[in-house]
Amino acid sequence: MVNDDLTPEKVASYLPFSGLQPEIPGRIINVTHQIPYNIVRKRHAAEATTTTTSPPPPAPSAAMAAAITSEEAGAPISKVSRKHHRQHTLRAKFHTDDWTVVQRRGHSALYSGLQSLSKDWETIHIGWTGPIKDVSRMKKTTEVSAVDRLALKQLLWDTGKIVPIFLDSTSRGHYEGYCKEVLWPLLHYVVWSTATDGRAEKRNWADYKAVNQQFAQTIIDQYRPGDIIWIHDYHLLLVPEMVRKAIPDATIGVFFHATFPSSEIFRCLTTRNEILQGILGANLIGFQTFAYTRHFISSSTRVLGCESTLTGVNLNGQIVSAGTFPIGIDVDRVYTFCKQPHVQPKIQSIREMYQDRRIIIGRDKLDATKGILQKLHAFEKFLHDYPAWRNKVVLIQVTTPTHGDHAKLEGKISETVSHINGIYGSLEFTPIHYFHQDIDRDEYYALLSVADVGLITSVRDGMNTTSFEYIICQHETSQGPLILSEFTGTAGSLSAALLVNPWDYAGVARAINDALVMSPEEKQTRHEQLYKHVTSHTAASWSHSFVTQLVSTKEQQSLQPQSAQELDLLETVSAYNRAQKRLLMFDYDGTLTPIVSVPSDAKPSPDMLEALQKICNDPKNQVWVISGRDQETLDNWLGHVKNLGLSAEHGCFIKKGDTWENIVEQVDMSWKEEVSKIFNYYTERTQGSFIENKKSSITWHYRLADAEYGEFQAKECQNHLENNIVPKLPVEILVGKKNLEVRPVDINKGVVAKRILNDISDVDFVVCAGDDKTDEDMFRFLSAAHLSVTITSGAVTSSPPWTPLPSASSSSSGLPPTTTTTITGINTANTKTRSPSVVLTSPPLPDTWKHPNPDLFCITVGPDNKKTMANRRLWTLKKSQACRCQTGSSGKELALVLRVSVLPGSYCKPGVPRA
């Protein structure tokens, strides 16, 4: 259900930097499939004159003359000549002796938005030149000589800082093949119906990858430190990951101008994994509507097994943000077009042609997703159900030809038009006037201005900016109602339109009647609401909001988990020896013991127990084992270790002494019944899986199941939980090693670490070791607390490397409200020097850590590419290093526990794969 209070304006107010323009140290690199210009060759270099004066324009060829004659004839709808306004154009045009560069028609909202960025920042534009038109030979070609490429590169750079990409024959397989025959239908919920042997698809996929690689390489060649890369639409979905591999620290944004289908549809794509991984190379992914955003997140969860968050996707410990950014139009440009001197005569001509009749306008591209057939059937239903309007209403339907073979669709449309006109028409009246052709720009805006009703019935549409242009054109005319399909991207913003289901012919017919009988007062009220939205949410505001959010997202992600440096045991033991009061916290599974197939087999080894008892015997040490295990298990395995503190079930229970304290005693656990039903469902269907019930959480294990099928079922189960449980219950999902755990929100190991540190806040040395995601809550809290105290004491640069807290913490962080601290030019082991400033978010902890300069070693057990909030990593401990630390060192107990306790967790028993 949609929350009416959650308007785009309110959502925008919650976003970082709302209303502020961010500082960008570099340029904005805009990347689109094609550049915003068409290139026309006027003549070949061999034909060039050696004179210094420009020659007169050549006489037109026979074909050109025929085209000119055709344009001088009456326009198809208004019957007013086109020839007089072709003497000038509002589109930008640049000439040289050999070339003409003309601004492209179409995609005006996209190009206007990108152009607006150049007013505030330095921008460059990368894109394919498209087929180059050769006037002298009357053909289009992708073949460009090396000399011509140099000339065009210079011309386009001088024209608008454009970096062209010249594609060869792969452009056909990329665009006409994979993009239009595979991606476009699927993204618009059209699953392919033709059977093939797959060879053509493989060739097209290879071309798609090759073109994406060429774009990525061009970006890499042009990139400078500090640049922002903004990639557009489904043509270039592999580019983000390709660029990320070459430039790991790059700021990359991706925007989807098309729709994004549900995961059930997207899973039909054979290259789904590669596509999703390519997209997730970005920092921020933008969509037109909230529904498309959720579909993408759901697909990432279901296909790749990623964890989802409220704002994006967790990919290997890194949060990739996904958000909604509805595009607008260039209102001033549309106004200019509407006010052209040749628009008004066409308006008069159209009115004279359809005297005493109400005009309904439909203008769509020839594509099955535009719902033209549904519109015609609904109009037929309207004429049938409301006979009083016969001979009084006319539908003018203009269908623009598009790329691809749409002959069957065009034939069906023509047949349907003839059928309706045959039933409801007469010698004096034709109810539908159908035009399958490109129409003149002036005529297009005249149609939008003269209409009494605008009718858009797309069955699936990314945005449909025609609805916006209709509203602008109607502002100074009749302010006619807009009938809009609920399946267009604009439907979520234009609530004052008459929203319809295009498949409901009776409902659309009823909406047409309601629009025709609507009172002038209601028309004005609806129009003013629509007009206010369109004029305040323009293409410029769309582009600026995305760039602003991208900068904010990148800064937040720079404070997310990073790759930790390898643990230096000499450094650690040296700090241990200096310390007067120490706190040591260890995870159990995967840290003190190896990961095993059956959880009950992970019993502590005698060596580990001996080492643990030795460090507990030191009066300077406070030692804790903070585990996800239940109370009984920890009591049986570790309860006999003296002076050892225990925490069970990820912080729900604490024991320091003889009794356990229940932290979640007052927490409502009624959610467990509903979660158990889901886990039971998947347990019955996944052989080898089982459920572990704890007092405060439920875990579904699939380590003993078939590896591939278990992963598949886990993704399905996770998707089920995230769509049906998480939105309505106060719980969160933890994706562990071959398990899924559901637990209450704000109950985690980080809360336990905070509680322990509060009790012994004067410690000057802390070691915290763990191996999985649940331990990241401890690392996150301790790093934030450590950063807070070192900032306060002014010892930031001399303290051990720290890992800052990620963005304004999530609901599961368990941390107190955040405050903002600005640090200038800090250099750490995990981050580069940031200049001039970086905003770091850390909790206000003035009384949590009393020592002015404590040593912190958060140690994660895992490989070197692991993303973590820890500042140290341990995967293999060299024997020589451990021996050196033990010889003649009072810190030999710590070296011993790290060698015999932490180290075994980095290996698995034979035959047991590590997750």
Side-chain angles (χ1 to χ4, degrees):
M1 180 170 26
V2 177
N3 186 348
D4 294 334
D5 295 331
L6 198 61
T7 63
E9 292 80 5
K10 288 185 178 180
V11 171
S13 68
Y14 303 145
L15 298 177
F17 298 100
S18 181
L20 300 178
Q21 180 174 298
E23 292 185 7
I24 299 177
R27 306 164 300 174
I28 298 177
I29 302 177
N30 296 311
V31 187
T32 59
H33 176 228
Q34 286 189 241
I35 61 176
Y37 294 95
N38 290 324
I39 301 174
V40 181
R41 178 196 287 279
K42 294 191 291 188
R43 61 180 179 173
H44 289 270
E47 303 167 0
T49 178
T50 57
T51 60
T52 55
T53 58
S54 299
S61 64
M64 294 176 64
I68 293 172
T69 303
S70 173
E71 289 191 356
E72 289 180 353
I77 298 173
S78 63
K79 295 187 178 179
V80 174
S81 173
R82 292 177 174 179
K83 66 175 183 179
H84 55 282
H85 82 277
R86 288 297 186 186
Q87 297 171 0
H88 69 279
T89 178
L90 293 178
R91 291 187 291 158
K93 209 174 209 181
F94 306 92
H95 295 279
T96 67
D97 287 343
D98 301 319
W99 306 95
T100 297
V101 178
V102 185
Q103 197 170 14
R104 290 183 64 199
R105 294 184 66 180
H107 303 286
S108 59
L110 164 62
Y111 293 133
S112 295
L114 300 186
Q115 181 63 31
S116 69
L117 297 175
S118 61
K119 298 177 181 178
D120 300 305
W121 300 288
E122 182 183 355
T123 64
I124 67 172
H125 197 128
I126 295 176
W128 178 38
T129 60
I132 295 175
K133 184 177 180 181
D134 193 330
V135 174
S136 63
R137 298 180 181 178
M138 293 303 295
K139 68 174 184 178
K140 290 186 177 181
T141 182
T142 58
E143 297 178 2
V144 184
S145 68
V147 174
D148 286 340
R149 290 188 181 193
L150 288 175
L152 281 175
K153 284 182 178 179
Q154 188 61 51
L155 173 61
L156 291 171
W157 183 259
D158 294 340
T159 297
K161 290 191 176 180
I162 295 172
V163 179
I165 293 177
F166 300 95
L167 299 179
D168 52 22
S169 58
T170 57
S171 63
R172 185 176 183 87
H174 166 263
Y175 181 68
E176 298 177 13
Y178 198 79
C179 288
K180 286 303 182 183
E181 293 181 8
V182 178
L183 283 180
W184 174 267
L186 183 84
L187 294 175
H188 290 81
Y189 284 73
V190 180
V191 181
W192 321 278
S193 58
T194 55
T196 70
D197 60 7
R199 286 182 294 178
E201 286 79 1
K202 287 182 179 179
R203 287 194 302 270
N204 292 336
W205 171 243
D207 288 343
Y208 185 83
K209 290 194 293 184
V211 169
N212 274 251
Q213 185 61 60
Q214 192 168 344
F215 270 82
Q217 189 58 52
T218 304
I219 295 170
I220 294 166
D221 293 342
Q222 294 293 324
Y223 181 82
R224 302 174 188 167
D227 285 351
I228 286 178
I229 303 166
W230 190 4
I231 301 164
H232 292 267
D233 226 0
Y234 62 97
H235 314 85
L236 307 171
L237 298 181
L238 303 181
V239 174
E241 184 185 28
M242 292 173 173
V243 175
R244 178 69 63 200
K245 288 180 179 178
I247 315 173
D249 296 330
T251 303
I252 305 173
V254 173
F255 191 83
F256 248 87
H257 294 268
T259 61
F260 198 94
S262 69
S263 59
E264 286 295 327
I265 298 293
F266 188 80
R267 288 168 66 199
C268 297
L269 187 64
T270 57
T271 55
R272 58 193 186 181
N273 287 51
E274 294 93 331
I275 291 292
L276 286 176
Q277 287 169 352
I279 299 170
L280 290 171
N283 301 98
L284 174 65
I285 308 162
F287 297 88
Q288 300 279 15
T289 71
F290 179 74
Y292 304 158
T293 306
R294 295 307 305 170
H295 288 166
F296 171 77
I297 293 174
S298 177
S299 295
S300 300
T301 297
R302 201 162 195 178
V303 175
L304 298 180
C306 300
E307 288 184 71
S308 67
T309 70
L310 295 176
T311 59
V313 174
N314 186 330
L315 179 67
N316 299 325
Q318 193 75 21
I319 302 298
V320 179
S321 297
T324 304
F325 304 86
I327 200 171
I329 60 173
D330 187 340
V331 174
D332 294 335
R333 184 180 177 86
V334 175
Y335 261 130
T336 302
F337 286 150
C338 291
K339 296 299 182 181
Q340 287 299 290
H342 312 294
V343 173
Q344 191 61 37
K346 291 182 180 293
I347 292 176
Q348 296 299 328
S349 176
I350 294 171
R351 284 176 175 162
E352 290 172 4
M353 291 172 63
Y354 304 100
Q355 293 184 41
D356 303 323
R357 289 186 173 91
R358 308 287 286 277
I359 299 174
I360 301 175
I361 290 298
R363 189 267 189 175
D364 307 275
K365 293 179 180 179
L366 183 61
D367 192 289
T369 64
K370 301 303 180 182
I372 301 171
L373 281 173
Q374 288 77 8
K375 182 187 301 185
L376 296 176
H377 290 312
F379 187 70
E380 180 181 10
K381 180 69 172 173
F382 163 74
L383 295 175
H384 176 272
D385 291 352
Y386 302 93
W389 286 110
R390 297 175 190 173
N391 298 322
K392 297 180 181 178
V393 175
V394 61
L395 170 62
I396 302 176
Q397 176 62 45
V398 179
T399 305
T400 305
T402 56
H403 168 79
D405 184 10
H406 299 291
K408 290 184 179 180
L409 176 61
E410 205 281 325
K412 289 182 180 180
I413 293 173
S414 298
E415 290 175 8
T416 305
V417 170
S418 298
H419 166 75
I420 297 172
N421 286 340
I423 295 177
Y424 297 102
S426 63
L427 292 175
E428 297 84 15
F429 173 69
T430 303
I432 301 178
H433 290 246
Y434 174 61
F435 303 92
H436 174 51
Q437 61 191 65
D438 286 312
I439 63 169
D440 184 73
R441 187 189 67 211
D442 289 345
E443 201 158 48
Y444 168 65
Y445 286 104
L447 276 174
L448 296 184
S449 300
V450 78
D452 295 289
V453 177
L455 183 57
I456 297 173
T457 55
S458 305
V459 295
R460 192 68 56 182
D461 213 341
M463 205 59 182
N464 196 300
T465 54
T466 299
S467 56
F468 292 156
E469 294 177 321
Y470 173 79
I471 293 166
I472 297 300
C473 292
Q474 285 285 311
H475 187 58
E476 295 182 4
T477 56
S478 60
Q479 298 185 352
L482 172 64
I483 301 175
L484 185 62
S485 166
E486 64 185 63
F487 300 118
T488 61
T490 53
S493 304
L494 303 180
S495 58
L498 300 175
L499 301 182
V500 296
N501 179 351
W503 301 100
D504 179 9
Y505 300 154
V508 179
R510 185 166 54 253
I512 294 174
N513 179 70
D514 292 343
L516 292 171
V517 301
M518 189 178 292
S519 66
E521 294 78 16
E522 185 178 355
K523 284 184 183 180
Q524 183 179 4
T525 301
R526 287 177 176 269
H527 175 79
E528 287 178 354
Q529 184 175 340
L530 296 172
Y531 181 78
K532 180 180 178 181
H533 173 82
V534 174
T535 53
S536 59
H537 296 78
T538 63
S541 63
W542 160 77
S543 60
H544 280 69
S545 66
F546 185 90
V547 169
T548 299
Q549 184 63 15
L550 177 57
V551 172
S552 171
T553 299
K554 176 61 177 177
E555 289 198 358
Q556 293 177 34
Q557 289 176 350
S558 67
L559 309 179
Q560 286 182 11
Q562 307 293 327
S563 296
Q565 70 181 53
E566 188 173 354
L567 178 71
D568 185 339
L569 200 54
L570 285 172
E571 176 194 11
T572 310
V573 170
S574 175
Y576 180 93
N577 292 334
R578 293 194 307 266
Q580 297 301 311
K581 193 169 185 179
R582 314 180 188 104
L583 172 62
L584 308 172
M585 294 180 283
F586 299 96
D587 170 46
Y588 186 77
D589 290 278
T591 303
L592 297 181
T593 60
I595 296 292
V596 295
S597 299
V598 180
S600 59
D601 290 343
K603 296 180 180 179
S605 67
D607 287 345
M608 189 277 287
L609 291 174
E610 181 183 354
L612 196 61
Q613 185 62 73
K614 285 183 178 180
I615 62 172
C616 288
N617 291 338
D618 190 329
K620 294 183 178 180
N621 297 340
Q622 285 235 14
V623 187
W624 285 78
V625 173
I626 303 175
S627 173
R629 294 281 182 171
D630 59 70
Q631 301 158 265
E632 183 180 358
T633 300
L634 291 180
D635 273 335
N636 290 336
W637 290 351
L638 302 173
H640 62 280
V641 179
K642 298 179 181 179
N643 303 320
L644 177 65
L646 298 175
S647 173
E649 299 191 26
H650 300 298
C652 294
F653 302 93
I654 289 181
K655 180 182 180 182
K656 187 65 174 175
D658 297 328
T659 59
W660 284 94
E661 179 183 353
N662 186 355
I663 295 179
V664 294
E665 189 173 4
Q666 304 300 322
V667 177
D668 182 11
M669 293 293 176
S670 59
W671 54 268
K672 294 180 70 175
E673 181 179 356
E674 196 164 348
V675 174
S676 294
K677 292 178 181 178
I678 296 176
F679 278 167
N680 284 328
Y681 174 88
Y682 285 94
T683 302
E684 293 171 1
R685 289 158 178 78
T686 311
Q687 185 176 1
S689 66
F690 61 93
I691 300 172
E692 181 185 5
N693 274 291
K694 303 175 185 177
K695 292 182 180 180
S696 62
S697 63
I698 309 177
T699 305
W700 183 66
H701 296 270
Y702 57 95
R703 182 171 295 279
L704 297 178
D706 176 81
E708 187 173 348
Y709 185 67
E711 290 288 348
F712 173 80
Q713 288 291 79
K715 294 174 186 177
E716 294 292 303
C717 182
Q718 180 189 350
N719 189 66
H720 195 165
L721 291 168
E722 291 186 341
N723 287 331
N724 297 280
I725 300 298
V726 174
K728 63 180 181 179
L729 295 174
V731 297
E732 63 178 350
I733 304 169
L734 293 180
V735 180
K737 297 172 182 176
K738 300 293 183 179
N739 66 70
L740 294 175
E741 180 169 333
V742 180
R743 69 180 186 184
V745 295
D746 294 330
I747 300 296
N748 55 57
K749 292 184 179 181
V751 176
V752 176
K754 179 178 185 297
R755 185 183 182 119
I756 294 171
L757 191 60
N758 246 349
D759 293 338
I760 50 173
S761 57
D762 56 341
V763 293
D764 55 348
F765 176 87
V766 173
V767 164
C768 180
D771 72 312
D772 65 12
K773 182 185 174 183
T774 61
D775 304 309
E776 293 295 321
D777 293 318
M778 291 192 292
F779 301 154
R780 179 179 293 108
F781 167 75
L782 291 171
S783 298
H786 184 256
L787 174 62
S788 176
V789 69
T790 50
I791 290 173
T792 304
S793 65
V796 174
T797 55
S798 61
S799 65
W802 47 266
T803 306
L805 184 70
S807 67
S809 42
S810 64
S811 61
S812 62
S813 67
L815 298 178
T818 58
T819 56
T820 301
T821 307
T822 301
I823 304 177
T824 303
I826 295 179
N827 190 14
T828 74
N830 297 327
T831 55
K832 298 179 180 179
T833 302
R834 300 182 178 99
S835 181
S837 66
V838 173
V839 178
L840 300 179
T841 311
S842 59
L845 303 167
D847 58 348
T848 299
W849 209 322
K850 293 182 180 179
H851 195 280
N853 188 23
D855 290 317
L856 173 65
F857 292 87
C858 290
I859 305 170
T860 185
V861 179
D864 56 0
N865 60 351
K866 181 180 181 180
K867 303 296 185 182
T868 177
M869 291 301 298
N871 56 11
R872 297 293 189 276
R873 173 187 55 80
L874 177 61
W875 185 239
T876 58
L877 184 61
K878 296 178 182 178
K879 183 177 181 180
S880 60
Q881 187 184 33
C883 293
R884 285 168 54 200
C885 291
Q886 293 182 63
T887 303
S889 169
S890 61
K892 62 182 180 181
E893 296 89 353
L894 177 64
L896 184 64
V897 79
L898 289 174
R899 181 167 63 85
V900 303
S901 300
V902 178
L903 183 59
S906 63
Y907 297 98
C908 298
K909 289 185 176 180
V912 180
R914 188 176 182 89

